[in-house]
């Protein structure tokens, strides 16, 4: 047996992910040591309550509430506490005390990434975070390393398992959003408070991280446009199905070129969108994640798998650990993902995409032409119009015998590409027009 020197590993957090990381480190330590060329000695696990029940049987003597002392004695710190504080302070302490760091904390990196990356850069420490985006799926290192010589044009990601599960249930089983959310909660997919999932905050954090890696540009979380899925109805899902589409909550990171100036910029945004059933992302079912990358030279690439789960996410954390432990053994500074391109982050109004607009209108002569004029006033070109006439309701007898309500029609209008600003102005005018009863739905269409 080879005698290795040991690297001291401090684990902060012994919850869903942390407990699995500890288990694998203890069970597979020898094999991992051979891969690294050094032993990986778990010196302790910092938690809030050392007596809390754990999902995995772990030696009780490893647990401590004194995270700061644990960090001081470590070569590598794995942060799996989550949230902003004290995770941020612990990571900064680890970096300044000479340790390398692995974290799965998307909320922290999306909010304080530049500060933490700069701190690591300054002392040559490594800061790895593969598990922060799409759980077990390797996507951070492929973007940082494998695609570092290519130009990423666009990323379309299903990066939140809870919302994908909900939208999939609405599509496949005809559930309402609330029914699907209840099932997700029962199955343990959704958080106790699922707001971060269904309102798109979790996906927005991941979009900020993906955009930084893809475009070598810091993308502040506040600049990520965000819409959640709470407004999505069974009717929208049903009408998407009839038209050959599926609704997915997408995190989209895109390189944009200003048509007038030729200046490059980037966009990061999260919203529910129509995706053609022929697109690879349409086949991502249940709580799975997938990231579809379009790169100039590589072309389209798809990364698919489990976006969450304690043991699945532990795989990504341990991959980061082995990778940085190898470098720790040979020496030399770590290398951060470069944010040197410093491209401007564009406002949502400048984004160009296609749209499907559903309107309830009065079924009268000239209405279609009127509606078409509203679109054309804002230079939004129509690609498709479908009309269905609605059954007329019988109104209450007002004394002169029963009356029929005026006929209405449902118009589904597909547009060619237009800016968000032009589409928003069009929708505003449509909503105010006397021939339009209701703007029933406006959805973007993504993934050509
Ligand atoms: P859990 O809530 O299951 O575990 C959190 C752990 O941190 C617990 O052991 C808790 O201690 C400990 N902790 C909390 N506050 C402190 C503190 N102040 N000092 C010391 N320890 C503390 O979280 P997860 O394991 O689910 O998530 C960990 C990280 O991984 C998060 O950043 C999350 O976003 C990320 N992640 C999680 C995924 C998942 O599927 N769960 C998927 C991808 C990323 P105690 O046990 O005593 O309460
Ligand atoms: N709540 C997240 C999800 C967990 O549903 O995808 C993984 O980040």
């Amino acid at each position: 047996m080879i005698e290795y020197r040991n690297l001291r590993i401090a684990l902060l957090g012994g919850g869903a992910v942390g407990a699995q990381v500890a288990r694998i480190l203890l069970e597979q330590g020898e094999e991992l040591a051979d891969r690294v060329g050094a032993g990986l000695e778990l010196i302790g696990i910092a938690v809030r309550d050392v007596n809390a029940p754990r999902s995995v049987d772990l030696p009780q003597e490893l647990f401590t509430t004194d995270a700061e002392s644990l960090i001081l004695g470590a070569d590598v710190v794995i942060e799996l506490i989550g949230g902003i504080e004290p995770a941020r302070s612990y990571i900064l302490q680890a970096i300044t005390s000479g340790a390398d760091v692995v974290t799965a904390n998307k909320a922290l990196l999306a909010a304080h990434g530049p500060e933490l990356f700069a701190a690591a850069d300054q002392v040559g420490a490594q800061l790895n975070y593969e598990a922060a985006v799409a759980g077990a799926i390797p996507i951070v290192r492929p973007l940082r390393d494998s695609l570092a010589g290519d130009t990423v044009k666009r990323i379309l990601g299903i990066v939140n398992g809870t919302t994908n599960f909900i939208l999939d249930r609405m599509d496949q089983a005809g559930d309402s959003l609330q029914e699907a959310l209840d099932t997700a909660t029962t199955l343990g997919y959704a958080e106790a408070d699922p707001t971060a999932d269904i309102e798109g905050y979790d996906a927005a954090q991941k979009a900020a991280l993906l955009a930084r890696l893809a475009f070598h540009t810091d993308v502040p979380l506040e600049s990520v446009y965000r819409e959640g899925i709470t407004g999505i109805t069974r009717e929208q899902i049903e009408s998407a199905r009839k038209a050959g589409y599926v609704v997915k909550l997408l995190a989209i990171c895109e390189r944009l070129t200003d048509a007038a100036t030729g200046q490059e910029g980037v966009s990061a945004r999260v919203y529910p969108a129509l995706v053609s059933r022929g697109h690879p992302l349409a086949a991502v079912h249940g709580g799975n994640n997938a990231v579809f990358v379009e790169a100039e030279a590589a072309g389209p690439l798809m990364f698919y798998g489990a976006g969450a789960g304690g043991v699945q996410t532990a795989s990504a954390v341990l991959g980061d650990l082995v990778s940085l432990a190898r470098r720790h053994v040979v020496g030399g500074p770590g290398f951060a993902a470069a944010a040197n391109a410093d491209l401007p982050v564009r406002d949502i109004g400048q984004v160009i995409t296609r749209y499907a607009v559903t309107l309830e209108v009065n079924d009268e002569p000239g209405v279609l032409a009127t509606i078409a004029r509203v679109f054309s006033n804002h230079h939004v070109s129509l690609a498709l119009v479908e009309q269905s006439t609605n059954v007329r309701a019988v109104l209450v007898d007002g004394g002169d015998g029963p009356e029929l309500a005026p006929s209405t029609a449902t118009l589904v209008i597909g547009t060619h590409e237009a800016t968000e600003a032009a589409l928003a102005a069009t929708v505003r005018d449509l909503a105010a027009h006397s021939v339009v009863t209701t703007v029933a739905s406006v959805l973007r269409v993504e993934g050509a």
Side-chain angles (χ1 to χ4, degrees), residues 13-18 46-49 52 54 79-83 86 90 104-106 131-132 135 307-310 313:
V17 185
V47 291
R48 268 178 307 210
D49 175 4
R54 306 280 154 204
E79 184 278 306
L80 294 170
I81 290 175
Y90 288 159
N105 195 331
K106 64 235 162 183
T313 306

Side-chain angles (χ1 to χ4, degrees), residues 11 37 78 140 170 240 252 264 274 288-289 298 358 405 407 429:
L11 184 56
I78 303 177
V140 171
M170 290 172 79
I252 303 173
E264 283 214 314
L274 294 170
N288 282 315
N289 281 195
T358 306
S407 272
D429 285 0

Side-chain angles (χ1 to χ4, degrees), residues 106 159-162 189 191 197 202 206 289 307-308:
K106 64 235 162 183
V159 292
N160 182 269
T162 304
Y189 288 108
E191 310 282 332
D197 296 315
D202 174 76
K206 292 165 180 168
N289 281 195

